[in-house]
Amino acid sequence: MVECRASSGPADPRFFARVGPFDAAALAEAAGADLRPPRQGSFPQEGYAGIAPLQAARARDVSFLDNRRYAHLLEHTEAGLVIVAPAFAEKVPPHSAALVTATPYLAWSRIARLFHPQSRSKAGIHPSAVVDPSAVVDPTAEVGPFVVIGAAVEVGPGCIVGSHAVVADGVRLGADCRIGAMVTLSHALVGDRVTILPGARIGQDGFGFAVGPEGFETVPQLGRVIIEHDVEIGANSTIDRGSVNDTVIGAGSRLDNLVQIGHNAQLGRCCIVVSQAGISGSTVLEDYVTVAAQAGLIGHIRIGAKARIGAQCGVMSDVERGADVIGSPAMPFREFFRNVAVLRKLAKKASGSAKDDSGKV
Amino acid sequence: MVECRASSGPADPRFFARVGPFDAAALAEAAGADLRPPRQGSFPQEGYAGIAPLQAARARDVSFLDNRRYAHLLEHTEAGLVIVAPAFAEKVPPHSAALVTATPYLAWSRIARLFHPQSRSKAGIHPSAVVDPSAVVDPTAEVGPFVVIGAAVEVGPGCIVGSHAVVADGVRLGADCRIGAMVTLSHALVGDRVTILPGARIGQDGFGFAVGPEGFETVPQLGRVIIEHDVEIGANSTIDRGSVNDTVIGAGSRLDNLVQIGHNAQLGRCCIVVSQAGISGSTVLEDYVTVAAQAGLIGHIRIGAKARIGAQCGVMSDVERGADVIGSPAMPFREFFRNVAVLRKLAKKASGSAKDDSGKV
Amino acid sequence: MVECRASSGPADPRFFARVGPFDAAALAEAAGADLRPPRQGSFPQEGYAGIAPLQAARARDVSFLDNRRYAHLLEHTEAGLVIVAPAFAEKVPPHSAALVTATPYLAWSRIARLFHPQSRSKAGIHPSAVVDPSAVVDPTAEVGPFVVIGAAVEVGPGCIVGSHAVVADGVRLGADCRIGAMVTLSHALVGDRVTILPGARIGQDGFGFAVGPEGFETVPQLGRVIIEHDVEIGANSTIDRGSVNDTVIGAGSRLDNLVQIGHNAQLGRCCIVVSQAGISGSTVLEDYVTVAAQAGLIGHIRIGAKARIGAQCGVMSDVERGADVIGSPAMPFREFFRNVAVLRKLAKKASGSAKDDSGKV
C-alpha cells in the first residue's frame, strides 16, 4: 500500500526544492507583517528552515492560521513562528514567535514562495520540438519535448512551454508565461505572466452552426482569444475563440479546472471562475466578478462588476453590479434561502396534515 | 498590456487567410438571398472585400443582423452590404445594399466561408509521426507531427489528423475528417466529414464495475463508438465506448466542449448537446433532440424526437417526443416557471406574515 | 454512411482479441455460479465461443440478465448459456443452460474477461520516448511513443505508460498501472494496479491565490497527490495536488470522466465519483461514499462513510454516515421528493384559483 495517511508534511523534497534558512526579520519583511518574539525562549539560532501546517510544525518551521475552522490547532502547535491575524495574536503559544498581519494567507503565500521559489525557464529548445522557421522564440525561453510551434509564432522572454504543447500559427505569448504540458493554443494573443495548466484548450472553433436545408452548417469562427496579463487558466478548461468579436479574459483573472468559456465571451479584470462553471457565448463579465463552481451563465447577458454567482447557479438574465445570486434560475442569496426554508415548512405541514387526515403514517 | 478591447474586427490576417473580393451578385448567389441595391449611391466598383460586425463594417464590408437584440446597430452601420431578414429590410441605411433572406444567419455563414475558406489537407505524413505499417493512410490525408496511428487503421481521403493525435488499432476514419490536436480515438468507426476538436477522448473504457468480494471489479467494455457522418465533437469532451452494445453519435449531431457521453448511449440524427452536459450510459436520444448546457440525463432512459432539455436540467425518466423540459427533476418548462413564481409568492407572504407576527422586521 | 445501427455484437474482432472456447464447467468455475444444464438438448460439443447480449446471442454464446428492465428479452433468447439471478432461473428458455448466481453482473464480468483478457505490457521503451537517465523503469514495463519520463521517476513492473503521457520528476508508479495516452502526472505517488484513462490531469497546481495589493497572488501548492492501489480515474478528469497537505484518492476508488478533485481533498476506500462531479478543496469523503454525476461538494466538509450524494446535488455542509441526499442545497432524498410534490400541488392549486379568479384560462 502506498503510505498516504501519514503525510510527510508539505514540500516533499522528492518534488519541491527548498532554499533558506531565513531569520525572523527576513520573513517578517517578506510577509509584510509585524514580528512578535516568543514570550518564552528566543528565536532559533540557525533561522527557520521551512513551512508546515500547525499540527506538524516544529521549532524551526513557520506555520499559519487563516481559517477560523482550524483555530483549535493553534494552542498545541510546536511551530517556531506562526502567521496570524491580530485577533489570534494572543493565542499563539508562548514558545512561538508570531507574524501578525491583517492578511495572514497572503503573508503565508509569500513566505512559502520564499522557501520554495518557482523554477525559472531553462533556456533552450528541446531537440525533439518542431518549431517553424518563421517563429521567433526568445533565447531565454524554454521549449519542452514534442512541442509544436507554428508559423510566425512569438514566444516572449522567460516563457516555459511544457512538453507536447501546441502553439499554432500566429499565436503571440508575452513574457514569463507558463504553458503547461499538452495545452493547445491557437488564434490567441497572450499577455505576460500568463499561466495555463495542462490540457487546457484555447482558441478552437466556437460552437456555431446554422440550420441549413440538409442539416447544420458550421459557421466560420473568425475571432480570436485575447488573454491579458497575469491570467491563470486551469487544467482541461476550454476557451473558444470568438466568432465575429474576440473572446477576452481580462487581466489578473483566475479560471479553475474544467471551465468552459464560449465564443465572444468577455471577462473583465480579476474575475474568478471556479471549476466546472460555464460561461456561454457573448456574455460579458465586468471586473471582479466571481462565478462559483458548476454555475452556468446563458449567452448574451451582462454580469455587473463585483457580482457573485453562487455554486450551481443558473443565470438566465443580467445580474446587477455587486449582487449575490444563487439558485437555478438565479435569485438573490437571501431570497433563495428564504424559499428553501418556506418550502421545507410547507412540506412538513402538508405531510403533517396528510398524517392527520389518514389517522396514521 | 495586450491590446484587447480595441478589436481588430473579425478575421485578423495573423490567423485567417482571406480570398476575394466578390461582387454583390456572387454574394447573393452564395447566400441564396435577394439582393437590393442601395437606395443612395451604387455598389462598390471593386466589389466587397470582407466581413465585419455592424458597428465596425465599412463601405466594402458585408455585415449582418440576426439577433433582434442588436437591431439598434443597424441604423448607424456603415456596412456596404447587410444581410437581414425581411422584417428589417426597410431599416437598412440608404447607403447600404441588402441581402434579404428568411435565414440571415445561414446566409452570413456561407458568405463568411466564401471569404475565409477552410484550409484543406496538406497531403503527407509528418516524419515524426509513428504509423503502423499495416495502417492505410490515404495519400491525400495530412498527418501531423507526433501523431500515432495504430495497426490496421484506415484514414480516408482529405482527412487532417492534428499533431499528437492518437488513432488506435483498428479505428476507421472516413473522408474529410478533421481530427484535432491531442485527440485520442480508439475502438471507433468514424464516418465522413467528422470534426473532433482538440483533446476529445473517444472510445476509452466506460465506467463499469461490479462489486466483488474484495472491492470493485472492472467489467470489460467490449463495444465500440460509432460516429456517423457530419458529426462535430467539442474540445475535451469524452465519449466512452459501449460495454456490450455500441455508443452511437447520429449523423449531423453537434456536441460542444466538455460533454460526457456514457457507454452504450445512442444519439439520433442532428442532436445538439451543449457544453458540460452529460448523458449517462444506455440512454437513447431520438433524432433532433437538444440538450442544453450542464444538463444531466440518467442512464437507461429514452428522449423522444425533437425534445428539448433545458440548461442544468436533471432528467430521471423518459421524455416525450417534442417536449420541452427543465428543472431538476425535469418538468415541462411552463410548470417549472409556474413553480418558481408560486414559491416566490408564498415565500414573500410567509416573510410578510412573520413580520406581522413579530411586529417588526 | 457508417453502418451503425446494425451492430456487429460485442467484441468486434477489429478491436478485441478473443480466446477460448471454454466448456460450461470452466465458465461456471470462473463465474462462481451454479450450472444448470439445458432442459432440452445438451451443451454444445465444442464449448462456448464468446459472449453476446440476449437478443443477439446464438447457441455457442454466453449471455446474461442483470437489469430487470430487460427481462422480456430472456424468453426469446437463443443464447446457449445465460447468467441469471435465482429469481430468473426458471425463465431461462429450455434450450439454454443457465449459470445461476446472486451476482450475475459480477459473473458476467468475469466470463467476459475470460474470453477477452486484458492485454499485458509489451516490455520496452519506445525509441521516441524521452526518459531521464535517473528514472528507473522496470524492464517489464511498456513505455509508448512520445512519452516523457522525468528525473528520479520510478515505473513499476508490468506498467503500461500510453503514448504522449508525461510522468514528471519524482513521480512513483507501483506495479501493473495503466496510464492512458496523454495523461499528465506530477507530484504524485501512485500505488499498484491503478488505471488512469486518457487526458486525465494529476498533480497540477491547485486553485489557490491570495488577494494582494495589486491583484491575486498565487499561493504555492506544496502538497502531493496520493493515489492508492486499485484506483481508476476517468478521461479528462483533474486532480489537483495538495497545497499544504496531500490530495488522497483511497484504495479501490473509481472516478469517472471529467471529474474535478480540488487540492487537499481526501477520498476514503472504494469511493465512487460519477462523471462531471466536483469535490472542492480540503473536503473529506470517508469510505464507500458515492457521489453521483454532476454533484458538487463545497470545500472543507466531511461526508460520512457509505453516504450517497445524488446527481446534481449541491452539498454545502457535512453529510452523516449512510445518509442519502439530493437537491441543491442537499437534503435527504425523501424530503427532496416530498418538497417537489408539495410545490407541484401548491402551484396547481394557485394556478387553479387564478383561473377561478379571472373566470378563464
Side-chain angles (χ1 to χ4, degrees):
Chain A
M1 176 63 68
V2 176
E3 290 303 318
C4 69
R5 305 304 163 86
S7 170
S8 71
D12 181 346
R14 194 176 174 106
F15 300 115
F16 301 94
R18 187 193 315 215
V19 298
F22 299 97
D23 66 21
L27 294 173
E29 193 186 335
D34 290 336
L35 178 63
R36 305 207 186 161
R39 280 163 291 165
Q40 290 171 15
S42 55
F43 293 113
Q45 286 243 329
E46 289 132 17
Y48 295 96
I51 57 165
L54 288 168
Q55 64 274 40
R58 297 283 173 271
R60 293 191 60 206
D61 290 330
V62 185
S63 193
F64 83 119
L65 174 68
D66 179 51
N67 190 330
R68 218 162 256 282
R69 186 186 298 260
Y70 302 114
H72 61 281
L73 298 172
L74 183 57
E75 186 184 354
H76 300 295
T77 187
E78 296 178 25
L81 180 60
V82 185
I83 307 166
V84 289
F88 290 96
E90 299 310 311
K91 306 233 166 104
V92 171
H95 56 84
S96 305
L99 286 172
V100 182
T101 166
T103 55
Y105 191 50
L106 181 63
W108 162 259
S109 173
R110 290 175 173 182
I111 284 177
R113 183 63 80 209
L114 200 66
F115 283 109
H116 303 284
Q118 258 194 328
S119 61
R120 303 183 63 85
S121 65
K122 291 169 197 134
I125 297 176
H126 194 276
S128 65
V130 172
V131 180
D132 189 277
S134 64
V136 179
V137 178
D138 189 276
T140 62
E142 172 181 348
V143 174
F146 310 124
V147 164
V148 175
I149 293 189
V153 163
E154 299 168 53
V155 177
C159 283
I160 301 176
V161 182
S163 68
H164 307 86
V166 175
V167 187
D169 295 356
V171 168
R172 192 174 72 198
L173 299 178
D176 298 316
C177 292
R178 291 167 182 267
I179 308 302
M182 297 190 209
V183 165
T184 51
L185 265 166
S186 72
H187 309 88
L189 303 179
V190 178
D192 300 338
R193 298 173 305 280
V194 167
T195 296
I196 306 180
L197 296 185
R201 310 289 162 215
I202 319 281
Q204 60 283 336
D205 270 33
F207 195 57
F209 47 84
V211 179
E214 295 173 23
F216 303 127
E217 298 189 14
T218 298
V219 175
Q221 304 289 305
L222 300 168
R224 306 172 300 183
V225 176
I226 309 296
I227 300 179
E228 297 184 351
H229 295 330
D230 300 300
V231 164
E232 186 167 324
I233 294 166
N236 282 352
S237 286
T238 55
I239 302 180
D240 291 342
R241 72 174 181 272
S243 57
V244 176
N245 300 306
D246 293 325
T247 303
V248 180
I249 311 296
S253 291
R254 300 275 169 149
L255 280 61
D256 200 352
N257 299 339
L258 294 170
V259 162
Q260 153 73 1
I261 307 289
H263 52 187
N264 311 315
Q266 301 214 355
L267 277 64
R269 291 176 63 86
C270 292
C271 289
I272 298 170
V273 185
V274 186
S275 67
Q276 299 176 320
I279 297 176
S280 300
S282 302
T283 278
V284 175
L285 273 59
E286 296 179 355
D287 298 342
Y288 304 103
V289 168
T290 299
V291 179
Q294 298 184 336
L297 282 64
I298 206 172
H300 297 274
I301 60 174
R302 173 173 285 267
I303 311 299
K306 297 191 184 176
R308 296 190 301 180
I309 312 296
Q312 298 190 326
C313 187
V315 186
M316 299 186 192
S317 54
D318 290 358
V319 172
E320 280 184 18
R321 187 186 171 83
D324 274 10
V325 298
I326 194 166
S328 183
M331 59 190 85
F333 263 67
R334 182 177 297 220
E335 185 179 330
F336 177 77
F337 288 105
R338 191 186 62 187
N339 285 4
V340 167
V342 165
L343 179 55
R344 189 180 196 170
K345 207 171 153 186
L346 289 169
K348 269 195 182 159
K349 210 162 118 185
S351 100
S353 58
K355 232 187 289 176
D356 291 350
D357 288 353
S358 68
K360 55 181 176 177
V361 188
Chain B
M1 177 61 68
V2 175
E3 291 303 319
C4 68
R5 305 304 163 88
S7 169
S8 72
D12 182 346
R14 194 177 176 106
F15 300 114
F16 301 94
R18 187 192 318 214
V19 298
F22 299 98
D23 64 23
L27 295 172
E29 193 186 334
D34 291 335
L35 177 63
R36 304 205 187 163
R39 280 162 290 165
Q40 291 170 14
S42 55
F43 293 112
Q45 287 244 329
E46 287 131 17
Y48 295 97
I51 57 164
L54 288 169
Q55 64 273 41
R58 298 283 173 273
R60 295 191 59 207
D61 290 330
V62 185
S63 193
F64 83 120
L65 174 67
D66 179 51
N67 190 329
R68 218 161 256 284
R69 186 186 298 261
Y70 302 113
H72 61 281
L73 297 172
L74 183 57
E75 186 183 355
H76 301 294
T77 188
E78 297 179 23
L81 181 60
V82 186
I83 306 164
V84 290
F88 290 96
E90 299 309 311
K91 306 232 166 103
V92 171
H95 56 84
S96 305
L99 286 173
V100 182
T101 165
T103 55
Y105 192 51
L106 180 63
W108 162 259
S109 173
R110 290 176 172 182
I111 284 178
R113 181 63 79 209
L114 199 65
F115 283 110
H116 303 284
Q118 258 194 329
S119 61
R120 302 184 63 86
S121 65
K122 291 170 197 131
I125 298 176
H126 193 276
S128 65
V130 172
V131 180
D132 190 276
S134 64
V136 179
V137 179
D138 188 275
T140 62
E142 172 181 346
V143 174
F146 310 124
V147 164
V148 175
I149 293 188
V153 164
E154 299 167 53
V155 177
C159 283
I160 301 177
V161 182
S163 67
H164 306 87
V166 176
V167 187
D169 295 357
V171 168
R172 190 175 73 197
L173 298 178
D176 299 315
C177 293
R178 291 167 182 268
I179 308 301
M182 297 188 209
V183 165
T184 50
L185 266 166
S186 72
H187 309 88
L189 302 180
V190 178
D192 299 339
R193 298 173 305 279
V194 167
T195 296
I196 306 180
L197 296 184
R201 309 288 162 217
I202 318 281
Q204 59 283 336
D205 270 32
F207 195 57
F209 47 86
V211 179
E214 294 173 24
F216 302 127
E217 298 188 14
T218 297
V219 175
Q221 303 288 305
L222 300 169
R224 307 172 299 182
V225 175
I226 309 296
I227 300 180
E228 298 184 350
H229 295 329
D230 301 299
V231 165
E232 186 168 323
I233 295 167
N236 282 352
S237 286
T238 54
I239 302 179
D240 291 342
R241 73 173 180 272
S243 58
V244 177
N245 300 307
D246 293 325
T247 303
V248 180
I249 312 296
S253 290
R254 300 275 169 150
L255 280 61
D256 199 353
N257 299 338
L258 294 169
V259 162
Q260 153 73 2
I261 307 288
H263 52 187
N264 311 317
Q266 301 214 357
L267 277 64
R269 291 176 63 86
C270 292
C271 289
I272 298 171
V273 185
V274 186
S275 66
Q276 298 176 320
I279 297 175
S280 300
S282 302
T283 277
V284 175
L285 272 60
E286 298 178 355
D287 297 342
Y288 304 103
V289 168
T290 298
V291 179
Q294 297 184 337
L297 281 63
I298 206 173
H300 297 275
I301 60 174
R302 173 174 284 265
I303 311 299
K306 297 191 184 175
R308 296 189 302 179
I309 312 295
Q312 297 189 327
C313 188
V315 187
M316 299 186 193
S317 54
D318 290 358
V319 172
E320 280 185 18
R321 185 185 173 81
D324 273 9
V325 298
I326 194 167
S328 182
M331 59 191 84
F333 263 65
R334 183 176 294 219
E335 184 179 330
F336 177 76
F337 288 105
R338 190 184 64 186
N339 284 3
V340 167
V342 165
L343 179 55
R344 189 180 197 171
K345 206 169 154 189
L346 290 169
K348 268 194 183 159
K349 208 163 119 186
S351 101
S353 59
K355 233 188 287 177
D356 292 349
D357 288 353
S358 69
K360 57 180 177 177
V361 189
Chain C
M1 175 64 66
V2 176
E3 290 304 317
C4 68
R5 304 303 163 86
S7 171
S8 72
D12 181 346
R14 196 175 174 107
F15 300 115
F16 301 94
R18 187 192 317 213
V19 298
F22 298 98
D23 65 21
L27 295 173
E29 192 186 337
D34 290 337
L35 177 62
R36 304 204 186 165
R39 280 164 290 164
Q40 292 171 13
S42 56
F43 293 112
Q45 287 243 331
E46 288 132 17
Y48 294 97
I51 57 166
L54 287 169
Q55 65 272 41
R58 298 283 172 272
R60 294 191 60 206
D61 291 329
V62 185
S63 193
F64 83 119
L65 174 68
D66 180 49
N67 190 330
R68 217 162 257 282
R69 186 187 298 262
Y70 302 113
H72 61 282
L73 298 172
L74 184 56
E75 186 183 353
H76 300 293
T77 189
E78 298 179 22
L81 181 60
V82 186
I83 306 165
V84 289
F88 290 96
E90 298 309 312
K91 307 232 165 105
V92 171
H95 56 83
S96 305
L99 287 171
V100 182
T101 165
T103 56
Y105 191 49
L106 180 63
W108 162 258
S109 174
R110 290 175 173 182
I111 284 178
R113 183 63 80 210
L114 200 66
F115 282 110
H116 304 283
Q118 258 194 328
S119 61
R120 303 183 63 85
S121 64
K122 292 168 197 134
I125 298 176
H126 193 275
S128 65
V130 173
V131 180
D132 189 278
S134 64
V136 179
V137 178
D138 189 275
T140 62
E142 172 181 349
V143 174
F146 310 125
V147 164
V148 175
I149 294 189
V153 164
E154 300 167 52
V155 177
C159 282
I160 300 177
V161 181
S163 68
H164 307 87
V166 176
V167 187
D169 295 356
V171 168
R172 191 175 72 198
L173 298 178
D176 299 316
C177 293
R178 291 168 182 266
I179 309 301
M182 297 189 208
V183 165
T184 51
L185 265 167
S186 73
H187 308 90
L189 303 180
V190 178
D192 299 339
R193 297 172 305 280
V194 167
T195 296
I196 306 181
L197 297 185
R201 310 289 161 215
I202 318 280
Q204 60 283 335
D205 270 32
F207 196 56
F209 47 85
V211 179
E214 296 173 22
F216 302 127
E217 299 188 12
T218 298
V219 175
Q221 304 289 305
L222 301 168
R224 306 172 300 183
V225 175
I226 309 296
I227 300 179
E228 298 184 351
H229 295 330
D230 301 300
V231 164
E232 186 167 325
I233 295 167
N236 282 351
S237 287
T238 55
I239 303 179
D240 292 341
R241 72 174 182 271
S243 57
V244 177
N245 300 307
D246 293 326
T247 303
V248 179
I249 310 297
S253 290
R254 300 275 169 150
L255 280 61
D256 199 352
N257 299 338
L258 295 169
V259 162
Q260 153 72 3
I261 307 288
H263 52 188
N264 311 315
Q266 301 214 354
L267 278 64
R269 291 175 64 85
C270 292
C271 289
I272 298 171
V273 185
V274 186
S275 67
Q276 299 176 321
I279 297 176
S280 300
S282 301
T283 278
V284 176
L285 272 59
E286 297 179 355
D287 298 343
Y288 304 102
V289 168
T290 298
V291 179
Q294 297 185 337
L297 282 63
I298 207 173
H300 296 275
I301 60 173
R302 174 173 284 266
I303 311 299
K306 298 191 184 176
R308 296 190 301 180
I309 313 295
Q312 297 190 328
C313 186
V315 187
M316 301 186 190
S317 54
D318 290 358
V319 172
E320 279 184 19
R321 187 187 172 81
D324 273 9
V325 297
I326 195 167
S328 182
M331 59 192 84
F333 263 66
R334 182 177 296 220
E335 184 179 331
F336 176 77
F337 287 105
R338 190 183 64 188
N339 284 3
V340 167
V342 165
L343 179 55
R344 189 181 197 171
K345 205 169 155 188
L346 289 168
K348 269 196 183 158
K349 208 163 120 186
S351 102
S353 58
K355 234 187 288 178
D356 292 349
D357 288 353
S358 68
K360 57 181 176 178
V361 188

